[in-house]
Amino acid sequence: MRRARMILRSLASACALLAGTAHAAPTVELETDPVALFLKGGSGHVALAFDHVRFNLGVFGVRVPKFFHGNDGWTQSTLGVSAKFDYFGSDVRGLFAGLELNVARSRFTLDETGQHVRGLDVSVGPRIGYRFAVTDHLYITPWVGVSYSLYQDEAVIDGRAFELSPFGFFPTVHLGYRF
């Protein structure tokens, strides 16, 4: 947990430094992840965008598909918050690269008994994507993130473990509106 605080402070410092170098007035953006709806969840994000940089805070929740977590006989549901920093080559359209920090609480259910345990996960990693402008305000952003868990609770019920990897891979698409 101490390591996660250190990374969060470093990320916040970098964001403050880069925000100080921005020249244009910030714009506000709201976005959602429609993929989360198909996974029996949802997401909502608010962002401030400057010339080439963007800061995003969001909440998310999903039921993780078994093919994604790889644990037969288990169900995983996750709720969390995220902080993202992105750098765009020109304006806040086109190709971008960034960093994200996620703090998530998962519920791991052993399907045969219905018993469950909860676990905390703190992860950080890079992300890359491309923003397509549909109109002056509406945009679509496919992106992919790779993460590493700095802290991860175990998930064990009756001696049976839900196998957790410290590495994560997350492809998705966001729909957004820029004010």
Side-chain angles (χ1 to χ4, degrees), residues 7-22 48 50 53-57 83-86 99-101:
I7 288 174
L8 184 58
R9 283 188 197 122
S10 298
L11 184 61
S13 297
C15 290
L17 177 65
L18 288 168
T21 64
L48 284 179
F50 298 87
V53 296
R54 179 173 183 266
F55 309 98
N56 175 318
L57 294 175
K84 296 175 179 66
F85 164 78
D86 297 317
L99 292 173
E100 68 177 307
L101 173 69

mmCIF file with all atom_site columns, all heavy atoms in Angstrom, residues 7-22 48 50 53-57 83-86 99-101:
data_model
loop_
_atom_site.group_PDB
_atom_site.id
_atom_site.type_symbol
_atom_site.label_atom_id
_atom_site.label_alt_id
_atom_site.label_comp_id
_atom_site.label_asym_id
_atom_site.label_entity_id
_atom_site.label_seq_id
_atom_site.pdbx_PDB_ins_code
_atom_site.Cartn_x
_atom_site.Cartn_y
_atom_site.Cartn_z
_atom_site.occupancy
_atom_site.B_iso_or_equiv
_atom_site.pdbx_formal_charge
_atom_site.auth_seq_id
_atom_site.auth_comp_id
_atom_site.auth_asym_id
_atom_site.auth_atom_id
_atom_site.pdbx_PDB_model_num
ATOM 1   N N   . ILE A 1 7   ? 3.497   5.990  -5.740  1.00 0.00 ? 7   ILE A N   1
ATOM 2   C CA  . ILE A 1 7   ? 3.247   6.123  -7.177  1.00 0.00 ? 7   ILE A CA  1
ATOM 3   C C   . ILE A 1 7   ? 2.141   7.134  -7.435  1.00 0.00 ? 7   ILE A C   1
ATOM 4   O O   . ILE A 1 7   ? 2.244   7.954  -8.343  1.00 0.00 ? 7   ILE A O   1
ATOM 5   C CB  . ILE A 1 7   ? 2.924   4.752  -7.797  1.00 0.00 ? 7   ILE A CB  1
ATOM 6   C CG1 . ILE A 1 7   ? 4.207   3.922  -7.833  1.00 0.00 ? 7   ILE A CG1 1
ATOM 7   C CG2 . ILE A 1 7   ? 2.326   4.882  -9.176  1.00 0.00 ? 7   ILE A CG2 1
ATOM 8   C CD1 . ILE A 1 7   ? 4.032   2.514  -8.271  1.00 0.00 ? 7   ILE A CD1 1
ATOM 9   N N   . LEU A 1 8   ? 1.092   7.120  -6.616  1.00 0.00 ? 8   LEU A N   1
ATOM 10  C CA  . LEU A 1 8   ? 0.007   8.079  -6.766  1.00 0.00 ? 8   LEU A CA  1
ATOM 11  C C   . LEU A 1 8   ? 0.517   9.506  -6.568  1.00 0.00 ? 8   LEU A C   1
ATOM 12  O O   . LEU A 1 8   ? 0.178   10.404 -7.335  1.00 0.00 ? 8   LEU A O   1
ATOM 13  C CB  . LEU A 1 8   ? -1.124  7.766  -5.779  1.00 0.00 ? 8   LEU A CB  1
ATOM 14  C CG  . LEU A 1 8   ? -2.368  8.627  -5.883  1.00 0.00 ? 8   LEU A CG  1
ATOM 15  C CD1 . LEU A 1 8   ? -2.963  8.543  -7.286  1.00 0.00 ? 8   LEU A CD1 1
ATOM 16  C CD2 . LEU A 1 8   ? -3.391  8.214  -4.867  1.00 0.00 ? 8   LEU A CD2 1
ATOM 17  N N   . ARG A 1 9   ? 1.358   9.734  -5.574  1.00 0.00 ? 9   ARG A N   1
ATOM 18  C CA  . ARG A 1 9   ? 1.939   11.068 -5.360  1.00 0.00 ? 9   ARG A CA  1
ATOM 19  C C   . ARG A 1 9   ? 2.803   11.488 -6.545  1.00 0.00 ? 9   ARG A C   1
ATOM 20  O O   . ARG A 1 9   ? 2.765   12.637 -6.971  1.00 0.00 ? 9   ARG A O   1
ATOM 21  C CB  . ARG A 1 9   ? 2.770   11.079 -4.077  1.00 0.00 ? 9   ARG A CB  1
ATOM 22  C CG  . ARG A 1 9   ? 1.937   11.144 -2.828  1.00 0.00 ? 9   ARG A CG  1
ATOM 23  C CD  . ARG A 1 9   ? 2.808   11.353 -1.599  1.00 0.00 ? 9   ARG A CD  1
ATOM 24  N NE  . ARG A 1 9   ? 2.049   11.015 -0.432  1.00 0.00 ? 9   ARG A NE  1
ATOM 25  C CZ  . ARG A 1 9   ? 2.392   10.098 0.461   1.00 0.00 ? 9   ARG A CZ  1
ATOM 26  N NH1 . ARG A 1 9   ? 3.530   9.462  0.352   1.00 0.00 ? 9   ARG A NH1 1
ATOM 27  N NH2 . ARG A 1 9   ? 1.625   9.849  1.488   1.00 0.00 ? 9   ARG A NH2 1
ATOM 28  N N   . SER A 1 10  ? 3.590   10.562 -7.079  1.00 0.00 ? 10  SER A N   1
ATOM 29  C CA  . SER A 1 10  ? 4.438   10.869 -8.231  1.00 0.00 ? 10  SER A CA  1
ATOM 30  C C   . SER A 1 10  ? 3.596   11.221 -9.446  1.00 0.00 ? 10  SER A C   1
ATOM 31  O O   . SER A 1 10  ? 3.901   12.166 -10.178 1.00 0.00 ? 10  SER A O   1
ATOM 32  C CB  . SER A 1 10  ? 5.352   9.687  -8.569  1.00 0.00 ? 10  SER A CB  1
ATOM 33  O OG  . SER A 1 10  ? 6.218   9.414  -7.509  1.00 0.00 ? 10  SER A OG  1
ATOM 34  N N   . LEU A 1 11  ? 2.531   10.463 -9.668  1.00 0.00 ? 11  LEU A N   1
ATOM 35  C CA  . LEU A 1 11  ? 1.634   10.728 -10.790 1.00 0.00 ? 11  LEU A CA  1
ATOM 36  C C   . LEU A 1 11  ? 0.956   12.083 -10.619 1.00 0.00 ? 11  LEU A C   1
ATOM 37  O O   . LEU A 1 11  ? 0.868   12.871 -11.566 1.00 0.00 ? 11  LEU A O   1
ATOM 38  C CB  . LEU A 1 11  ? 0.595   9.610  -10.909 1.00 0.00 ? 11  LEU A CB  1
ATOM 39  C CG  . LEU A 1 11  ? -0.356  9.676  -12.089 1.00 0.00 ? 11  LEU A CG  1
ATOM 40  C CD1 . LEU A 1 11  ? 0.402   9.613  -13.401 1.00 0.00 ? 11  LEU A CD1 1
ATOM 41  C CD2 . LEU A 1 11  ? -1.354  8.538  -12.018 1.00 0.00 ? 11  LEU A CD2 1
ATOM 42  N N   . ALA A 1 12  ? 0.500   12.391 -9.422  1.00 0.00 ? 12  ALA A N   1
ATOM 43  C CA  . ALA A 1 12  ? -0.145  13.682 -9.158  1.00 0.00 ? 12  ALA A CA  1
ATOM 44  C C   . ALA A 1 12  ? 0.838   14.832 -9.363  1.00 0.00 ? 12  ALA A C   1
ATOM 45  O O   . ALA A 1 12  ? 0.481   15.872 -9.932  1.00 0.00 ? 12  ALA A O   1
ATOM 46  C CB  . ALA A 1 12  ? -0.703  13.709 -7.733  1.00 0.00 ? 12  ALA A CB  1
ATOM 47  N N   . SER A 1 13  ? 2.081   14.670 -8.939  1.00 0.00 ? 13  SER A N   1
ATOM 48  C CA  . SER A 1 13  ? 3.102   15.703 -9.138  1.00 0.00 ? 13  SER A CA  1
ATOM 49  C C   . SER A 1 13  ? 3.373   15.931 -10.617 1.00 0.00 ? 13  SER A C   1
ATOM 50  O O   . SER A 1 13  ? 3.482   17.068 -11.070 1.00 0.00 ? 13  SER A O   1
ATOM 51  C CB  . SER A 1 13  ? 4.404   15.320 -8.431  1.00 0.00 ? 13  SER A CB  1
ATOM 52  O OG  . SER A 1 13  ? 4.203   15.237 -7.045  1.00 0.00 ? 13  SER A OG  1
ATOM 53  N N   . ALA A 1 14  ? 3.482   14.843 -11.373 1.00 0.00 ? 14  ALA A N   1
ATOM 54  C CA  . ALA A 1 14  ? 3.719   14.959 -12.817 1.00 0.00 ? 14  ALA A CA  1
ATOM 55  C C   . ALA A 1 14  ? 2.547   15.657 -13.492 1.00 0.00 ? 14  ALA A C   1
ATOM 56  O O   . ALA A 1 14  ? 2.744   16.510 -14.367 1.00 0.00 ? 14  ALA A O   1
ATOM 57  C CB  . ALA A 1 14  ? 3.948   13.583 -13.428 1.00 0.00 ? 14  ALA A CB  1
ATOM 58  N N   . CYS A 1 15  ? 1.330   15.323 -13.074 1.00 0.00 ? 15  CYS A N   1
ATOM 59  C CA  . CYS A 1 15  ? 0.142   15.954 -13.647 1.00 0.00 ? 15  CYS A CA  1
ATOM 60  C C   . CYS A 1 15  ? 0.127   17.453 -13.346 1.00 0.00 ? 15  CYS A C   1
ATOM 61  O O   . CYS A 1 15  ? -0.160  18.263 -14.223 1.00 0.00 ? 15  CYS A O   1
ATOM 62  C CB  . CYS A 1 15  ? -1.130  15.306 -13.100 1.00 0.00 ? 15  CYS A CB  1
ATOM 63  S SG  . CYS A 1 15  ? -1.402  13.627 -13.705 1.00 0.00 ? 15  CYS A SG  1
ATOM 64  N N   . ALA A 1 16  ? 0.442   17.824 -12.126 1.00 0.00 ? 16  ALA A N   1
ATOM 65  C CA  . ALA A 1 16  ? 0.470   19.244 -11.753 1.00 0.00 ? 16  ALA A CA  1
ATOM 66  C C   . ALA A 1 16  ? 1.533   19.996 -12.539 1.00 0.00 ? 16  ALA A C   1
ATOM 67  O O   . ALA A 1 16  ? 1.300   21.115 -13.012 1.00 0.00 ? 16  ALA A O   1
ATOM 68  C CB  . ALA A 1 16  ? 0.716   19.378 -10.249 1.00 0.00 ? 16  ALA A CB  1
ATOM 69  N N   . LEU A 1 17  ? 2.691   19.389 -12.712 1.00 0.00 ? 17  LEU A N   1
ATOM 70  C CA  . LEU A 1 17  ? 3.766   20.013 -13.470 1.00 0.00 ? 17  LEU A CA  1
ATOM 71  C C   . LEU A 1 17  ? 3.361   20.216 -14.923 1.00 0.00 ? 17  LEU A C   1
ATOM 72  O O   . LEU A 1 17  ? 3.521   21.293 -15.484 1.00 0.00 ? 17  LEU A O   1
ATOM 73  C CB  . LEU A 1 17  ? 5.038   19.153 -13.392 1.00 0.00 ? 17  LEU A CB  1
ATOM 74  C CG  . LEU A 1 17  ? 6.230   19.646 -14.203 1.00 0.00 ? 17  LEU A CG  1
ATOM 75  C CD1 . LEU A 1 17  ? 6.721   20.986 -13.652 1.00 0.00 ? 17  LEU A CD1 1
ATOM 76  C CD2 . LEU A 1 17  ? 7.344   18.623 -14.157 1.00 0.00 ? 17  LEU A CD2 1
ATOM 77  N N   . LEU A 1 18  ? 2.802   19.177 -15.534 1.00 0.00 ? 18  LEU A N   1
ATOM 78  C CA  . LEU A 1 18  ? 2.393   19.278 -16.932 1.00 0.00 ? 18  LEU A CA  1
ATOM 79  C C   . LEU A 1 18  ? 1.212   20.227 -17.108 1.00 0.00 ? 18  LEU A C   1
ATOM 80  O O   . LEU A 1 18  ? 1.129   20.929 -18.115 1.00 0.00 ? 18  LEU A O   1
ATOM 81  C CB  . LEU A 1 18  ? 2.073   17.895 -17.491 1.00 0.00 ? 18  LEU A CB  1
ATOM 82  C CG  . LEU A 1 18  ? 3.309   17.029 -17.709 1.00 0.00 ? 18  LEU A CG  1
ATOM 83  C CD1 . LEU A 1 18  ? 2.904   15.590 -17.984 1.00 0.00 ? 18  LEU A CD1 1
ATOM 84  C CD2 . LEU A 1 18  ? 4.161   17.566 -18.839 1.00 0.00 ? 18  LEU A CD2 1
ATOM 85  N N   . ALA A 1 19  ? 0.316   20.266 -16.147 1.00 0.00 ? 19  ALA A N   1
ATOM 86  C CA  . ALA A 1 19  ? -0.822  21.183 -16.243 1.00 0.00 ? 19  ALA A CA  1
ATOM 87  C C   . ALA A 1 19  ? -0.333  22.626 -16.209 1.00 0.00 ? 19  ALA A C   1
ATOM 88  O O   . ALA A 1 19  ? -0.887  23.489 -16.877 1.00 0.00 ? 19  ALA A O   1
ATOM 89  C CB  . ALA A 1 19  ? -1.810  20.931 -15.111 1.00 0.00 ? 19  ALA A CB  1
ATOM 90  N N   . GLY A 1 20  ? 0.723   22.872 -15.463 1.00 0.00 ? 20  GLY A N   1
ATOM 91  C CA  . GLY A 1 20  ? 1.292   24.213 -15.389 1.00 0.00 ? 20  GLY A CA  1
ATOM 92  C C   . GLY A 1 20  ? 1.901   24.657 -16.704 1.00 0.00 ? 20  GLY A C   1
ATOM 93  O O   . GLY A 1 20  ? 2.051   25.847 -16.952 1.00 0.00 ? 20  GLY A O   1
ATOM 94  N N   . THR A 1 21  ? 2.242   23.720 -17.582 1.00 0.00 ? 21  THR A N   1
ATOM 95  C CA  . THR A 1 21  ? 2.834   24.069 -18.875 1.00 0.00 ? 21  THR A CA  1
ATOM 96  C C   . THR A 1 21  ? 1.781   24.213 -19.966 1.00 0.00 ? 21  THR A C   1
ATOM 97  O O   . THR A 1 21  ? 2.102   24.608 -21.069 1.00 0.00 ? 21  THR A O   1
ATOM 98  C CB  . THR A 1 21  ? 3.859   23.000 -19.315 1.00 0.00 ? 21  THR A CB  1
ATOM 99  O OG1 . THR A 1 21  ? 3.185   21.772 -19.520 1.00 0.00 ? 21  THR A OG1 1
ATOM 100 C CG2 . THR A 1 21  ? 4.957   22.837 -18.281 1.00 0.00 ? 21  THR A CG2 1
ATOM 101 N N   . ALA A 1 22  ? 0.538   23.888 -19.672 1.00 0.00 ? 22  ALA A N   1
ATOM 102 C CA  . ALA A 1 22  ? -0.523  23.987 -20.675 1.00 0.00 ? 22  ALA A CA  1
ATOM 103 C C   . ALA A 1 22  ? -0.858  25.450 -20.945 1.00 0.00 ? 22  ALA A C   1
ATOM 104 O O   . ALA A 1 22  ? -0.834  26.274 -20.040 1.00 0.00 ? 22  ALA A O   1
ATOM 105 C CB  . ALA A 1 22  ? -1.765  23.242 -20.193 1.00 0.00 ? 22  ALA A CB  1
ATOM 106 N N   . LEU A 1 48  ? -10.303 16.621 -17.658 1.00 0.00 ? 48  LEU A N   1
ATOM 107 C CA  . LEU A 1 48  ? -9.893  17.972 -18.028 1.00 0.00 ? 48  LEU A CA  1
ATOM 108 C C   . LEU A 1 48  ? -8.826  17.811 -19.085 1.00 0.00 ? 48  LEU A C   1
ATOM 109 O O   . LEU A 1 48  ? -7.851  17.087 -18.893 1.00 0.00 ? 48  LEU A O   1
ATOM 110 C CB  . LEU A 1 48  ? -9.314  18.724 -16.833 1.00 0.00 ? 48  LEU A CB  1
ATOM 111 C CG  . LEU A 1 48  ? -10.301 19.240 -15.803 1.00 0.00 ? 48  LEU A CG  1
ATOM 112 C CD1 . LEU A 1 48  ? -9.553  19.937 -14.669 1.00 0.00 ? 48  LEU A CD1 1
ATOM 113 C CD2 . LEU A 1 48  ? -11.294 20.195 -16.435 1.00 0.00 ? 48  LEU A CD2 1
ATOM 114 N N   . PHE A 1 50  ? -6.158  19.833 -21.727 1.00 0.00 ? 50  PHE A N   1
ATOM 115 C CA  . PHE A 1 50  ? -5.434  21.043 -22.065 1.00 0.00 ? 50  PHE A CA  1
ATOM 116 C C   . PHE A 1 50  ? -4.854  20.844 -23.473 1.00 0.00 ? 50  PHE A C   1
ATOM 117 O O   . PHE A 1 50  ? -5.249  19.904 -24.165 1.00 0.00 ? 50  PHE A O   1
ATOM 118 C CB  . PHE A 1 50  ? -4.322  21.299 -21.049 1.00 0.00 ? 50  PHE A CB  1
ATOM 119 C CG  . PHE A 1 50  ? -4.838  21.505 -19.654 1.00 0.00 ? 50  PHE A CG  1
ATOM 120 C CD1 . PHE A 1 50  ? -5.045  20.425 -18.817 1.00 0.00 ? 50  PHE A CD1 1
ATOM 121 C CD2 . PHE A 1 50  ? -5.135  22.768 -19.178 1.00 0.00 ? 50  PHE A CD2 1
ATOM 122 C CE1 . PHE A 1 50  ? -5.519  20.601 -17.526 1.00 0.00 ? 50  PHE A CE1 1
ATOM 123 C CE2 . PHE A 1 50  ? -5.616  22.960 -17.895 1.00 0.00 ? 50  PHE A CE2 1
ATOM 124 C CZ  . PHE A 1 50  ? -5.809  21.879 -17.063 1.00 0.00 ? 50  PHE A CZ  1
ATOM 125 N N   . VAL A 1 53  ? -2.368  17.535 -23.174 1.00 0.00 ? 53  VAL A N   1
ATOM 126 C CA  . VAL A 1 53  ? -2.478  16.641 -22.031 1.00 0.00 ? 53  VAL A CA  1
ATOM 127 C C   . VAL A 1 53  ? -3.923  16.539 -21.555 1.00 0.00 ? 53  VAL A C   1
ATOM 128 O O   . VAL A 1 53  ? -4.733  17.438 -21.766 1.00 0.00 ? 53  VAL A O   1
ATOM 129 C CB  . VAL A 1 53  ? -1.564  17.078 -20.853 1.00 0.00 ? 53  VAL A CB  1
ATOM 130 C CG1 . VAL A 1 53  ? -0.114  17.000 -21.254 1.00 0.00 ? 53  VAL A CG1 1
ATOM 131 C CG2 . VAL A 1 53  ? -1.917  18.459 -20.367 1.00 0.00 ? 53  VAL A CG2 1
ATOM 132 N N   . ARG A 1 54  ? -4.192  15.415 -20.904 1.00 0.00 ? 54  ARG A N   1
ATOM 133 C CA  . ARG A 1 54  ? -5.545  15.137 -20.429 1.00 0.00 ? 54  ARG A CA  1
ATOM 134 C C   . ARG A 1 54  ? -5.459  14.370 -19.110 1.00 0.00 ? 54  ARG A C   1
ATOM 135 O O   . ARG A 1 54  ? -4.667  13.441 -18.991 1.00 0.00 ? 54  ARG A O   1
ATOM 136 C CB  . ARG A 1 54  ? -6.245  14.288 -21.488 1.00 0.00 ? 54  ARG A CB  1
ATOM 137 C CG  . ARG A 1 54  ? -7.649  13.896 -21.156 1.00 0.00 ? 54  ARG A CG  1
ATOM 138 C CD  . ARG A 1 54  ? -8.223  13.206 -22.407 1.00 0.00 ? 54  ARG A CD  1
ATOM 139 N NE  . ARG A 1 54  ? -9.580  12.857 -22.193 1.00 0.00 ? 54  ARG A NE  1
ATOM 140 C CZ  . ARG A 1 54  ? -9.989  11.672 -21.753 1.00 0.00 ? 54  ARG A CZ  1
ATOM 141 N NH1 . ARG A 1 54  ? -9.129  10.715 -21.517 1.00 0.00 ? 54  ARG A NH1 1
ATOM 142 N NH2 . ARG A 1 54  ? -11.264 11.440 -21.556 1.00 0.00 ? 54  ARG A NH2 1
ATOM 143 N N   . PHE A 1 55  ? -6.298  14.777 -18.139 1.00 0.00 ? 55  PHE A N   1
ATOM 144 C CA  . PHE A 1 55  ? -6.376  14.121 -16.840 1.00 0.00 ? 55  PHE A CA  1
ATOM 145 C C   . PHE A 1 55  ? -7.795  13.588 -16.681 1.00 0.00 ? 55  PHE A C   1
ATOM 146 O O   . PHE A 1 55  ? -8.753  14.315 -16.872 1.00 0.00 ? 55  PHE A O   1
ATOM 147 C CB  . PHE A 1 55  ? -6.055  15.107 -15.714 1.00 0.00 ? 55  PHE A CB  1
ATOM 148 C CG  . PHE A 1 55  ? -4.784  15.854 -15.943 1.00 0.00 ? 55  PHE A CG  1
ATOM 149 C CD1 . PHE A 1 55  ? -4.797  17.129 -16.476 1.00 0.00 ? 55  PHE A CD1 1
ATOM 150 C CD2 . PHE A 1 55  ? -3.567  15.268 -15.650 1.00 0.00 ? 55  PHE A CD2 1
ATOM 151 C CE1 . PHE A 1 55  ? -3.622  17.813 -16.708 1.00 0.00 ? 55  PHE A CE1 1
ATOM 152 C CE2 . PHE A 1 55  ? -2.392  15.940 -15.879 1.00 0.00 ? 55  PHE A CE2 1
ATOM 153 C CZ  . PHE A 1 55  ? -2.409  17.220 -16.411 1.00 0.00 ? 55  PHE A CZ  1
ATOM 154 N N   . ASN A 1 56  ? -7.924  12.318 -16.312 1.00 0.00 ? 56  ASN A N   1
ATOM 155 C CA  . ASN A 1 56  ? -9.217  11.651 -16.293 1.00 0.00 ? 56  ASN A CA  1
ATOM 156 C C   . ASN A 1 56  ? -9.390  10.937 -14.957 1.00 0.00 ? 56  ASN A C   1
ATOM 157 O O   . ASN A 1 56  ? -8.490  10.227 -14.513 1.00 0.00 ? 56  ASN A O   1
ATOM 158 C CB  . ASN A 1 56  ? -9.237  10.645 -17.459 1.00 0.00 ? 56  ASN A CB  1
ATOM 159 C CG  . ASN A 1 56  ? -10.470 9.785  -17.515 1.00 0.00 ? 56  ASN A CG  1
ATOM 160 O OD1 . ASN A 1 56  ? -10.958 9.293  -16.513 1.00 0.00 ? 56  ASN A OD1 1
ATOM 161 N ND2 . ASN A 1 56  ? -10.947 9.549  -18.714 1.00 0.00 ? 56  ASN A ND2 1
ATOM 162 N N   . LEU A 1 57  ? -10.548 11.109 -14.334 1.00 0.00 ? 57  LEU A N   1
ATOM 163 C CA  . LEU A 1 57  ? -10.926 10.352 -13.142 1.00 0.00 ? 57  LEU A CA  1
ATOM 164 C C   . LEU A 1 57  ? -12.213 9.608  -13.464 1.00 0.00 ? 57  LEU A C   1
ATOM 165 O O   . LEU A 1 57  ? -13.121 10.176 -14.081 1.00 0.00 ? 57  LEU A O   1
ATOM 166 C CB  . LEU A 1 57  ? -11.160 11.277 -11.949 1.00 0.00 ? 57  LEU A CB  1
ATOM 167 C CG  . LEU A 1 57  ? -9.938  12.020 -11.434 1.00 0.00 ? 57  LEU A CG  1
ATOM 168 C CD1 . LEU A 1 57  ? -10.346 13.003 -10.334 1.00 0.00 ? 57  LEU A CD1 1
ATOM 169 C CD2 . LEU A 1 57  ? -8.901  11.052 -10.908 1.00 0.00 ? 57  LEU A CD2 1
ATOM 170 N N   . ALA A 1 83  ? -7.485  6.751  -12.264 1.00 0.00 ? 83  ALA A N   1
ATOM 171 C CA  . ALA A 1 83  ? -6.921  8.057  -12.590 1.00 0.00 ? 83  ALA A CA  1
ATOM 172 C C   . ALA A 1 83  ? -6.020  7.840  -13.794 1.00 0.00 ? 83  ALA A C   1
ATOM 173 O O   . ALA A 1 83  ? -5.194  6.927  -13.801 1.00 0.00 ? 83  ALA A O   1
ATOM 174 C CB  . ALA A 1 83  ? -6.133  8.612  -11.409 1.00 0.00 ? 83  ALA A CB  1
ATOM 175 N N   . LYS A 1 84  ? -6.210  8.668  -14.818 1.00 0.00 ? 84  LYS A N   1
ATOM 176 C CA  . LYS A 1 84  ? -5.437  8.511  -16.042 1.00 0.00 ? 84  LYS A CA  1
ATOM 177 C C   . LYS A 1 84  ? -4.817  9.847  -16.441 1.00 0.00 ? 84  LYS A C   1
ATOM 178 O O   . LYS A 1 84  ? -5.426  10.897 -16.264 1.00 0.00 ? 84  LYS A O   1
ATOM 179 C CB  . LYS A 1 84  ? -6.329  8.018  -17.187 1.00 0.00 ? 84  LYS A CB  1
ATOM 180 C CG  . LYS A 1 84  ? -6.921  6.650  -16.962 1.00 0.00 ? 84  LYS A CG  1
ATOM 181 C CD  . LYS A 1 84  ? -7.882  6.294  -18.076 1.00 0.00 ? 84  LYS A CD  1
ATOM 182 C CE  . LYS A 1 84  ? -8.484  4.935  -17.931 1.00 0.00 ? 84  LYS A CE  1
ATOM 183 N NZ  . LYS A 1 84  ? -9.364  4.774  -16.796 1.00 0.00 ? 84  LYS A NZ  1
ATOM 184 N N   . PHE A 1 85  ? -3.626  9.770  -17.009 1.00 0.00 ? 85  PHE A N   1
ATOM 185 C CA  . PHE A 1 85  ? -2.948  10.920 -17.597 1.00 0.00 ? 85  PHE A CA  1
ATOM 186 C C   . PHE A 1 85  ? -2.566  10.525 -19.014 1.00 0.00 ? 85  PHE A C   1
ATOM 187 O O   . PHE A 1 85  ? -1.970  9.466  -19.219 1.00 0.00 ? 85  PHE A O   1
ATOM 188 C CB  . PHE A 1 85  ? -1.691  11.284 -16.795 1.00 0.00 ? 85  PHE A CB  1
ATOM 189 C CG  . PHE A 1 85  ? -0.781  12.191 -17.556 1.00 0.00 ? 85  PHE A CG  1
ATOM 190 C CD1 . PHE A 1 85  ? -1.064  13.531 -17.663 1.00 0.00 ? 85  PHE A CD1 1
ATOM 191 C CD2 . PHE A 1 85  ? 0.347   11.684 -18.189 1.00 0.00 ? 85  PHE A CD2 1
ATOM 192 C CE1 . PHE A 1 85  ? -0.244  14.367 -18.402 1.00 0.00 ? 85  PHE A CE1 1
ATOM 193 C CE2 . PHE A 1 85  ? 1.172   12.506 -18.913 1.00 0.00 ? 85  PHE A CE2 1
ATOM 194 C CZ  . PHE A 1 85  ? 0.881   13.854 -19.024 1.00 0.00 ? 85  PHE A CZ  1
ATOM 195 N N   . ASP A 1 86  ? -2.923  11.340 -20.004 1.00 0.00 ? 86  ASP A N   1
ATOM 196 C CA  . ASP A 1 86  ? -2.619  11.043 -21.396 1.00 0.00 ? 86  ASP A CA  1
ATOM 197 C C   . ASP A 1 86  ? -1.910  12.212 -22.056 1.00 0.00 ? 86  ASP A C   1
ATOM 198 O O   . ASP A 1 86  ? -2.177  13.379 -21.737 1.00 0.00 ? 86  ASP A O   1
ATOM 199 C CB  . ASP A 1 86  ? -3.908  10.757 -22.184 1.00 0.00 ? 86  ASP A CB  1
ATOM 200 C CG  . ASP A 1 86  ? -4.638  9.537  -21.678 1.00 0.00 ? 86  ASP A CG  1
ATOM 201 O OD1 . ASP A 1 86  ? -3.969  8.525  -21.399 1.00 0.00 ? 86  ASP A OD1 1
ATOM 202 O OD2 . ASP A 1 86  ? -5.876  9.582  -21.553 1.00 0.00 ? 86  ASP A OD2 1
ATOM 203 N N   . LEU A 1 99  ? -0.603  6.992  -18.815 1.00 0.00 ? 99  LEU A N   1
ATOM 204 C CA  . LEU A 1 99  ? -0.450  6.140  -17.638 1.00 0.00 ? 99  LEU A CA  1
ATOM 205 C C   . LEU A 1 99  ? -1.771  6.100  -16.903 1.00 0.00 ? 99  LEU A C   1
ATOM 206 O O   . LEU A 1 99  ? -2.526  7.077  -16.915 1.00 0.00 ? 99  LEU A O   1
ATOM 207 C CB  . LEU A 1 99  ? 0.605   6.714  -16.689 1.00 0.00 ? 99  LEU A CB  1
ATOM 208 C CG  . LEU A 1 99  ? 2.040   6.710  -17.169 1.00 0.00 ? 99  LEU A CG  1
ATOM 209 C CD1 . LEU A 1 99  ? 2.915   7.475  -16.183 1.00 0.00 ? 99  LEU A CD1 1
ATOM 210 C CD2 . LEU A 1 99  ? 2.538   5.288  -17.315 1.00 0.00 ? 99  LEU A CD2 1
ATOM 211 N N   . GLU A 1 100 ? -2.027  4.972  -16.246 1.00 0.00 ? 100 GLU A N   1
ATOM 212 C CA  . GLU A 1 100 ? -3.237  4.887  -15.433 1.00 0.00 ? 100 GLU A CA  1
ATOM 213 C C   . GLU A 1 100 ? -2.949  4.196  -14.108 1.00 0.00 ? 100 GLU A C   1
ATOM 214 O O   . GLU A 1 100 ? -2.057  3.357  -14.008 1.00 0.00 ? 100 GLU A O   1
ATOM 215 C CB  . GLU A 1 100 ? -4.364  4.190  -16.180 1.00 0.00 ? 100 GLU A CB  1
ATOM 216 C CG  . GLU A 1 100 ? -4.165  2.727  -16.442 1.00 0.00 ? 100 GLU A CG  1
ATOM 217 C CD  . GLU A 1 100 ? -5.381  2.110  -17.119 1.00 0.00 ? 100 GLU A CD  1
ATOM 218 O OE1 . GLU A 1 100 ? -6.506  2.255  -16.601 1.00 0.00 ? 100 GLU A OE1 1
ATOM 219 O OE2 . GLU A 1 100 ? -5.188  1.484  -18.151 1.00 0.00 ? 100 GLU A OE2 1
ATOM 220 N N   . LEU A 1 101 ? -3.716  4.592  -13.121 1.00 0.00 ? 101 LEU A N   1
ATOM 221 C CA  . LEU A 1 101 ? -3.672  3.998  -11.792 1.00 0.00 ? 101 LEU A CA  1
ATOM 222 C C   . LEU A 1 101 ? -5.092  3.560  -11.465 1.00 0.00 ? 101 LEU A C   1
ATOM 223 O O   . LEU A 1 101 ? -6.036  4.342  -11.618 1.00 0.00 ? 101 LEU A O   1
ATOM 224 C CB  . LEU A 1 101 ? -3.189  5.014  -10.755 1.00 0.00 ? 101 LEU A CB  1
ATOM 225 C CG  . LEU A 1 101 ? -3.253  4.566  -9.298  1.00 0.00 ? 101 LEU A CG  1
ATOM 226 C CD1 . LEU A 1 101 ? -2.220  3.472  -9.034  1.00 0.00 ? 101 LEU A CD1 1
ATOM 227 C CD2 . LEU A 1 101 ? -3.031  5.739  -8.372  1.00 0.00 ? 101 LEU A CD2 1
#
